[in-house]
Amino acid sequence: MLLSQIQNALGGITVVARDGSEAYAVKDAASTYALAMEAAEAGKSLAEVIQAHGFGEAIDLNAAYAEGRMMLPIHHEDPAHCHLTGTGLTHLGSASTRSSMHAEAKTDAPVTDSMKMFQMGLEDGKPAVNAEGAQPEWFYKGNGTQAVAAGAPLTSPSFAKDAGEEPEIAGIYVNSADGTPFRVGFALSNEFSDHITERGNYLWLAHSKLRPASFGPELLVGDLPGDVQGMSRILRDGAVIWEKPFLSGENNMSHTVANLEHHHFKYDIFRQPGELHVHFFGTATLSFADKISTKDGDVFEIEAPEFGLVLRNPLIQQPAVSGTVTVKVL
C-alpha cells in the first residue's frame, strides 16, 4: 500500500491510499500522522486501521501533482516535533563515492576516518537479531520546517557553496504515547546537501547537512524491499543533463535497517511521545562525484518503481548577501 496526502478543494487534507493504479481517499482520516498514531495506540497495523476507516472517492494523483496539491506524505502539525536525521556510509560503494568527493582536497592522505567507519559497517553492520552492531555515521538536518513536499522547491541558502541531490530511502516513524517508536513505512527522498562544504573539511559535515530535504510523494507501508533499483536525474531547461541509477535496500547496504534504527532510537531524546521522525538511510550515488554543478532552476527527479510517483523538486538558489548575522543583546 502507498499513502500520500493532497490538499483538497476545501483547503484541508485528504489522505490517499492506493494498491496498484487505483487511488482512493481514506474516510475520516485527519492526516497520515493521525492514522499512524491511531494504529500505534490500538496495537494494530496501519493497513488494518486504514481498512477499518474504509475508502471514499477515487483520486487522480497525477492531476493533484500537476496542480501543485501534493503534500508531504506525513507531517506533524507542530514542525518542531518532527526530526530530520540520517546516516551515511551505509551503502556498498558509498565509501568510494565519498573518497572521490574528497580526492581533490586530500591527495596523499592515509586511510580516512570515513573509510574506517565504512569498514566497521562491512564487518559488523548486520548483526544477529536483537544484537547491537557497529554505529553508523549520523547527522542532523533540522526539524519539520526543513521538510519539502514533492513539487515544491528545494532552496539552497545564500552562503551555500553547492546544492546537490542525494537519492535515498527514508524511514518514517512515530512515537506512541509511552515513547515506543513505530515504523510507519518508507519513502523516496532527496537528502539535499552542500558537498563542497563537506569536501573542504569533513568536520564541516554538520554544516553541509543543515539544508532542506524532500520525501515522498508517496509512502510505502510495509517492509523495505531488499533490492531497490532507482534512477536519479537532473534536468536543466527541460533536458536531462545527468542521470544515474542508484541502489538501496539491505541487499545493497552494509547495515541492516534494524541496526540503523537502533542507533537512532537508543537515545531517549528521540523517543519522546508523539514525535515524528524522518530518517535518511544514505546513498552511494551523487551527481557531485561526477563533477556536476547544479544551477538555479534545475529540477531533481528521483524514482523507484516500488515507491510510486516520481519525487520531483526544482532548485532555488538564494542570492548571495553581504554581512553577517548580528545577535542583539537583551
Side-chain angles (χ1 to χ4, degrees):
M1 180 185 292
L2 292 164
L3 291 180
S4 57
Q5 296 186 133
I6 63 171
Q7 187 176 63
N8 58 39
L10 299 176
I13 298 170
T14 295
V15 179
V16 182
R18 72 179 179 113
D19 186 359
S21 60
E22 300 299 319
Y24 297 93
V26 179
K27 289 183 176 179
D28 302 318
S31 66
T32 306
Y33 172 84
L35 291 169
M37 292 300 293
E38 181 182 341
E41 299 304 335
K44 297 179 180 179
S45 72
L46 182 55
E48 288 174 326
V49 167
I50 290 171
Q51 290 289 342
H53 274 251
F55 302 100
E57 64 177 326
I59 301 293
D60 186 339
L61 283 177
N62 288 308
Y65 206 164
E67 293 163 4
R69 295 191 290 116
M70 293 301 301
M71 304 173 66
L72 291 166
I74 189 170
H75 73 290
H76 197 291
E77 288 189 358
D78 181 352
H81 291 286
C82 172
H83 300 281
L84 307 185
T85 57
T87 57
L89 296 167
T90 53
H91 284 63
L92 305 177
S94 56
S96 60
T97 301
R98 178 74 61 79
S99 295
S100 69
M101 280 175 51
H102 296 175
E104 294 178 23
K106 298 179 180 180
T107 54
D108 313 341
V111 176
T112 64
D113 287 340
S114 292
M115 188 60 75
K116 291 176 183 176
M117 182 169 286
F118 177 71
Q119 189 63 38
M120 289 169 63
L122 287 178
E123 293 172 356
D124 194 25
K126 292 185 173 181
V129 176
N130 294 324
E132 180 176 291
Q135 291 190 120
E137 175 188 60
W138 184 96
F139 56 83
Y140 177 70
K141 287 194 66 68
N143 61 25
T145 62
Q146 297 294 87
V148 175
L154 286 165
T155 300
S156 185
S158 60
F159 52 80
K161 299 181 183 304
D162 171 57
E165 87 301 329
E166 295 202 12
E168 304 187 15
I169 304 302
I172 314 297
Y173 307 86
V174 295
N175 294 337
S176 65
D178 66 1
T180 302
F182 285 85
R183 187 196 307 132
V184 182
F186 300 92
L188 287 177
S189 68
N190 188 340
E191 195 271 288
F192 188 60
S193 301
D194 182 343
H195 301 105
I196 291 179
T197 292
E198 178 189 342
R199 186 180 66 183
N201 187 317
Y202 187 61
L203 293 179
W204 287 341
L205 176 70
H207 289 281
S208 77
K209 295 297 187 182
L210 287 172
R211 300 290 186 274
S214 184
F215 62 96
E218 299 180 90
L219 186 159
L220 176 66
V221 178
D223 294 330
L224 180 67
D227 182 23
V228 175
Q229 300 188 29
M231 186 66 70
S232 179
R233 67 178 65 89
I234 301 173
L235 292 85
R236 183 171 296 163
D237 299 324
V240 175
I241 64 164
W242 178 87
E243 184 176 57
K244 201 165 190 176
F246 73 93
L247 299 175
S248 194
E250 288 189 358
N251 294 358
N252 304 299
M253 296 171 66
S254 51
H255 289 261
T256 62
V257 169
N259 190 52
L260 300 179
E261 291 172 339
H262 162 71
H263 284 295
H264 178 72
F265 288 106
K266 69 184 181 184
Y267 294 101
D268 292 347
I269 192 173
F270 296 137
R271 298 199 307 274
Q272 298 303 304
E275 293 202 321
L276 171 66
H277 289 257
V278 180
H279 195 62
F280 304 93
F281 290 134
T283 188
T285 304
L286 307 172
S287 66
F288 182 79
D290 292 336
K291 303 186 183 304
I292 298 296
S293 179
T294 59
K295 295 182 179 180
D296 188 76
D298 286 353
V299 177
F300 301 111
E301 289 189 349
I302 298 171
E303 62 180 320
E306 302 94 333
F307 293 87
L309 298 174
V310 175
L311 176 60
R312 183 181 299 112
N313 301 94
L315 168 64
I316 291 180
Q317 177 64 60
Q318 288 184 336
V321 295
S322 59
T324 61
V325 176
T326 302
V327 176
K328 296 183 179 180
V329 179
L330 294 174

